[in-house]
Amino acid sequence: MRVLGVDPGLTRCGVGVVEGVAGRPLTMRAVGVVRTPPDEELGRRLVAIEQGIEHWLDEHRPDVVAVERVFSQHNVRTVMGTAQASAVAMLCAARRGLPVALHTPSEVKAAVTGSGRADKAQVGAMVTRLLRLDAPPRPADAADALALAICHIWRAPVQNRLQQAVTAHRAGRPAAGARSGPVTSVPPVRKGPTA
C-alpha cells in the first residue's frame, strides 16, 4: 500500500509518501512541504495548495490519502486555515477516486510513539527510526505527514475488518470469520443448600 500523508496547513502543508504493509518494514518514498506566502490572498493560497497536492498525486500515485482530522483549538483562525487546507487535500483525492482516511493527532501520535500525548520531537524521532532515515524530516510538518501515512498503514487492516463487520451486520449476515449457526447457552450452575 502506498499512502500520501497530508498534514494540512495554509503556510506549510506537510506531505509524505510511505509504502508498505502492517507488520513489515516501511519505506519512505518522498517527503516535503507545500508552502504559501502568509500575505497572499486566501483564495490564491488554496489554489497553490491544490496545485502542490495535485503534483504529489501525479508524481507518486498513492493508493490512499491520509489527512489529519481537524480538531478544535483555542485559535479559531488557525483551525479555519487548517480546515480549508484539509478540504483541499480531500477534494484532490476525491476527484481522482482515491479513498481518504482521517486520523486525529492523538491517533497518529499513539500509533507512531505509543503515546497520544507525544510531542513533535518524539514523533519526529520515531518516524526517523521507523523509516530508517539519517535524520528527522524538517520542518516538523513533513515528519507529521509521514507519521500520518505510517498510522494509516498500521491501522487500515483493523479499520477494514471493522467496516466489513458493520456492513455485514447492517445486511443481516455474519461478518467474515464470525461463527455461524445457532447460539447455545449453558445453564447456570446452581449451588446446593448450605449447611
Side-chain angles (χ1 to χ4, degrees):
M1 174 187 314
R2 180 175 286 195
V3 180
L4 171 64
V6 179
D7 180 42
L10 274 179
T11 303
R12 289 184 314 273
C13 184
V15 283
V17 180
V18 177
E19 193 170 65
V21 295
R24 301 264 173 109
L26 304 176
T27 304
M28 181 190 77
R29 295 294 177 203
V31 65
V33 177
V34 175
R35 296 178 188 270
T36 68
D39 56 347
E40 186 73 70
E41 188 266 326
L42 176 61
R44 291 177 191 232
R45 295 179 81 184
L46 294 175
V47 168
I49 291 169
E50 181 213 13
Q51 291 170 342
I53 291 173
E54 288 288 349
H55 172 77
W56 278 76
L57 291 170
D58 285 340
E59 187 169 337
H60 298 288
R61 307 260 181 222
D63 302 308
V64 62
V65 176
V67 181
E68 183 178 282
R69 183 184 299 272
V70 177
F71 67 101
S72 177
Q73 293 176 334
H74 299 297
N75 187 339
V76 175
R77 186 173 176 187
T78 301
V79 171
M80 288 303 296
T82 302
Q84 290 161 338
S86 177
V88 169
M90 290 188 280
L91 174 69
C92 291
R95 187 184 293 144
R96 294 168 183 250
L98 292 173
V100 175
L102 299 174
H103 300 285
T104 66
S106 60
E107 286 173 343
V108 174
K109 291 173 184 178
V112 174
T113 70
S115 169
R117 296 181 179 206
D119 61 24
K120 287 197 176 283
Q122 291 170 310
V123 171
M126 283 307 295
V127 164
T128 303
R129 182 174 172 197
L130 293 168
L131 297 176
R132 301 169 311 282
L133 305 175
D134 295 331
R138 297 280 181 235
D141 309 87
D144 289 347
L146 292 172
L148 274 153
I150 293 168
C151 173
H152 184 73
I153 290 170
W154 286 352
R155 292 176 59 102
V158 173
Q159 289 176 331
N160 290 341
R161 285 195 296 274
L162 286 172
Q163 186 57 48
Q164 288 171 356
V166 168
T167 302
H169 176 73
R170 288 182 181 154
R173 63 181 189 272
R179 279 185 56 177
S180 59
V183 176
T184 58
S185 62
V186 177
V189 175
R190 299 187 190 275
K191 292 186 177 182
T194 56

